[in-house]
Amino acid sequence: EKISSKKIGLGVTDSSFVELKDDGKGVFKTELYTNERAAYLIDRFLGINLTPPTTIRTLDGETGSMQEFIPDAIMYGEIEFKTIDEEDDFNEKHREEFMKMWVLDLIIGNFDRHTHNFLFSGDTLYTIDHSHSLSINFDEFIKKVNVYVGYYRFFDKELPTVLAQSINKFLENFEYQQILEDLLEEILGKDFAVACLKRIRLIGKMIVETGKINERALEYAKL
């Protein structure tokens, strides 16, 4: 049950900050909202776990995505570093989380990752605002992986072992793969669902077999 809502931001996703009775607070979007839910599902099925819980709800007659609001979080672009060295130390400390975020962006084709759509609450990174990913790319998303997405890029760098393990677990579970494909098809349609699973298998295989992602191999790969 909604207690209050207030429009926020200047973007194209028509976002509102919503307070719910006995269920915390959330960000409600009515434009490009299916991408928010789809990105969350991919994030969770692969065990990346950076995106706050995101579902689809109807509120005051409008359907959109409802994403859990993270209290006391700050956008990366608003963190005040006293020196360049302090910023470098912070980035190095969170290198593994940045790598996971980049892999997620490759998979969902997110070309709008910037310093104001990932957050930190304490030492925990959260990825938000996945509107400009997945189906926004139309035919390009279905045909190939765009290697020029993501705020950070880590081609040919050793990726976290825990990431490879969680992706391998998904790749070995055909039932999970089918469930994810069915959920994505319901949200985005068959073509996008199939393309998503193909790129997960393509990128996932690279990570599991080599521990890295090769830029040239990925750029010339076809879905």
Side-chain angles (χ1 to χ4, degrees):
E1 181 181 347
K2 183 187 76 171
I3 296 177
S4 64
S5 65
K6 180 181 180 181
K7 294 290 185 182
I8 57 174
L10 299 174
V12 299
T13 52
D14 192 24
S15 302
S16 299
F17 178 76
V18 179
E19 187 175 3
L20 303 170
K21 183 179 180 181
D22 302 324
D23 200 25
K25 301 171 183 177
V27 177
F28 184 68
K29 295 184 177 182
T30 58
E31 298 291 335
L32 303 172
Y33 64 86
T34 53
N35 297 346
E36 300 287 356
R37 171 65 175 172
Y40 166 72
L41 289 172
I42 292 169
D43 174 286
R44 287 307 169 99
F45 268 82
L46 295 182
I48 296 174
N49 298 331
L50 295 179
T51 306
T54 309
T55 188
I56 293 177
R57 289 286 182 267
T58 298
L59 190 66
D60 295 337
E62 291 188 294
T63 300
S65 62
M66 182 74 79
Q67 184 172 87
E68 181 182 1
F69 175 77
I70 306 300
D72 302 320
I74 184 171
M75 297 175 184
Y76 177 78
E78 295 181 348
I79 298 176
E80 295 183 0
F81 298 107
K82 296 178 181 178
T83 65
I84 293 177
D85 287 341
E86 183 178 318
E87 182 177 2
D88 290 342
D89 289 343
F90 181 90
N91 291 344
E92 185 60 32
K93 179 180 179 180
H94 296 285
R95 180 179 173 85
E96 289 197 1
E97 292 101 311
F98 289 142
M99 285 180 158
K100 291 178 183 180
M101 179 171 67
W102 172 64
V103 170
L104 176 64
D105 286 339
L106 276 177
I107 290 172
I108 66 175
N110 181 21
F111 59 86
D112 193 39
R113 181 73 66 200
H114 52 75
T115 60
H116 282 69
N117 59 23
F118 60 100
L119 318 171
F120 279 91
S121 178
D123 281 331
T124 303
L125 185 153
Y126 295 92
T127 58
I128 62 170
D129 197 357
H130 299 116
S131 303
H132 290 85
S133 60
L134 294 154
S135 61
I136 200 74
N137 298 297
F138 300 106
D139 290 343
E140 284 187 27
F141 181 86
I142 294 173
K143 293 177 181 177
K144 63 181 295 186
V145 177
N146 183 354
V147 300
Y148 301 107
V149 300
Y151 183 71
Y152 294 98
R153 294 170 191 160
F154 297 97
F155 288 112
D156 296 311
K157 304 295 183 182
E158 197 73 33
L159 296 170
T161 301
V162 66
L163 175 63
Q165 291 172 340
S166 62
I167 290 178
N168 187 53
K169 184 177 180 180
F170 176 79
L171 295 179
E172 289 180 338
N173 193 320
F174 296 106
E175 182 181 0
Y176 274 18
Q177 292 176 47
Q178 189 59 58
I179 292 172
L180 177 59
E181 183 174 332
D182 290 344
L183 289 169
L184 293 176
E185 180 178 352
E186 183 179 354
I187 298 170
L188 301 174
K190 183 68 173 179
D191 290 343
F192 289 107
V194 170
C196 278
L197 268 294
K198 284 183 177 179
R199 65 177 55 211
I200 289 172
R201 295 181 184 116
L202 174 66
I203 294 171
K205 184 178 179 182
M206 284 188 188
I207 295 174
V208 170
E209 292 183 352
T210 69
K212 306 174 183 178
I213 297 176
N214 180 268
E215 181 176 4
R216 179 173 290 272
L218 190 60
E219 188 172 9
Y220 288 99
K222 293 183 179 179
L223 300 177

